[in-house]
Amino acid sequence: MKSFNYPRAVQAALIGIAIIGSVTGARADLKDYEFQLVDQTVRKGDAIISVRLVHKPDGKSVPDAVIFATRLDMAPDGMQEMATRIAPMPSTEPGIYKFKATLSMAGGWQLSLGAKVQGETGTVENKLVLKATP
Ligand SMILES: [Cu+2]
């Protein structure tokens, strides 16, 4: 019976380590956060782009993050030099962040975003691809 007890003790210790690991991981891991496009497709021209910042482990939206849009360009269509200006807009829904941009051409646009999340150190960085329709 002694041979039985030892592995169980090890198993219990490993579970303990796993729990501690996941708790600290949830606090410190910026990979737990991601941006998601509210709409994958927008109309060409003056557009409003809405993104949601999500905490993946619980699927919750993250309000009060400091978001900065770094770039919007047509890299998905091989035109990375074709960039357009992007401006933040006020949002009425917590966890949803809005931007205004002029998408001068139909096709794929890549939005590069960064975020500072309350209580987390470092910066969440994501690239999202949306489609502008003619
Ligand atoms: Cu283009």
Side-chain angles (χ1 to χ4, degrees):
M1 264 343 226
K2 209 148 178 100
S3 60
F4 231 97
N5 288 337
Y6 176 69
R8 286 188 69 164
V10 170
Q11 202 175 32
L14 287 175
I15 290 166
I17 291 164
I19 290 167
I20 292 163
S22 69
V23 168
T24 54
R27 290 202 140 199
D29 199 351
L30 290 169
K31 298 230 185 307
D32 285 348
Y33 296 89
E34 74 175 15
F35 287 103
Q36 295 170 357
L37 285 167
V38 174
D39 296 303
Q40 312 287 323
T41 305
V42 292
R43 262 266 157 85
K44 185 189 120 176
D46 290 329
I48 298 198
I49 300 164
S50 300
V51 298
R52 185 188 298 277
L53 180 60
V54 178
H55 181 241
K56 287 190 280 180
D58 56 16
K60 287 196 176 136
S61 300
V62 182
D64 303 322
V66 178
I67 310 288
F68 36 97
T70 51
R71 197 174 161 87
L72 181 60
D73 62 43
M74 287 198 78
D77 282 6
M79 288 174 271
Q80 38 273 88
E81 74 285 353
M82 191 173 170
T84 188
R85 194 126 51 116
I86 183 154
M89 287 185 62
S91 174
T92 48
E93 206 185 322
I96 303 276
Y97 304 88
K98 289 177 187 272
F99 306 93
K100 192 166 66 177
T102 303
L103 303 172
S104 50
M105 187 176 169
W109 289 82
Q110 178 174 265
L111 176 61
S112 303
L113 290 172
K116 295 274 185 201
V117 178
Q118 304 253 340
E120 303 279 11
T121 47
T123 303
V124 179
E125 281 178 326
N126 267 183
K127 290 183 195 300
L128 299 172
V129 174
L130 57 135
K131 197 148 195 103
T133 57

